[in-house]
Amino acid sequence: MEYEVVHTDDVPLTDLSEIDEVPSDLQMRAIDDFLPSEHVQLKLWYFEPDEEIRYHAHAEQEELYFALEGEFELTLGPDGDTERREVEAGAFWLARPEVGHGHRNVGDEEGIVLAVGAPNVEDPGRDPGEFDEGSE
């Protein structure tokens, strides 16, 4: 088929606290499991107040984020030269490969973030300090 359609409610919510390899205790919907793509990963991340995805970087993957609900404090930039910004629902942010990024729900209610990553490769988050300028 040339296209696929899926509703959010048709994608199960995964409790990441039950997976030892994942450092975050967030909940997530893996949209890309239901809209298989060769080129992008699609995830919906659910944050209770004060939950976060810690500051990290990827070797190959570029990630685009969109805050659907909530208020977030972002940590963005290369290791040793980060910037903190607060954003609300409707904000986009981008993290290129090897550039550190993380975000925390600073609001009083649940926050939801759509994450789009490309290329669609296994690229676990690493300490941004592992990436020296001009390497990889």
Side-chain angles (χ1 to χ4, degrees), residues 54-59 75-82 95-102 124-133 135-136:
R54 291 188 197 126
Y55 179 70
H56 67 284
H58 301 279
T75 303
L76 302 167
D79 188 45
D81 189 25
T82 59
R96 291 186 170 81
E98 300 185 10
V99 176
H101 56 285
R126 297 171 22 191
D127 179 344
E130 293 181 29
F131 299 105
D132 294 327
E133 192 171 318
S135 70
E136 301 219 15

Side-chain angles (χ1 to χ4, degrees), residues 8 11-19 21-33 41-49 51-54 56 58 61-72 74 89 93 101-105 109-118 122-125:
T8 304
V11 179
L13 198 56
T14 301
D15 183 352
L16 297 176
S17 67
E18 298 173 4
I19 303 172
E21 296 80 32
V22 178
S24 172
D25 287 341
L26 303 174
Q27 293 190 354
M28 180 264 300
R29 292 184 199 270
I31 306 298
D32 50 1
D33 287 350
Q41 292 180 2
L42 300 164
K43 309 283 193 239
L44 279 176
W45 294 91
Y46 296 82
F47 297 79
E48 291 301 321
E51 285 186 326
E52 69 179 322
I53 291 181
R54 291 188 197 126
H56 67 284
H58 301 279
Q61 198 170 56
E62 184 170 67
E63 290 183 303
L64 171 69
Y65 297 95
F66 179 66
L68 294 163
E69 295 179 16
E71 301 169 35
F72 293 88
L74 313 178
W93 61 98
H101 56 285
H103 41 279
R104 180 173 61 93
N105 180 354
E109 304 203 7
E110 180 181 67
I112 303 173
V113 172
L114 172 66
V116 180
E122 285 294 320
D123 191 1

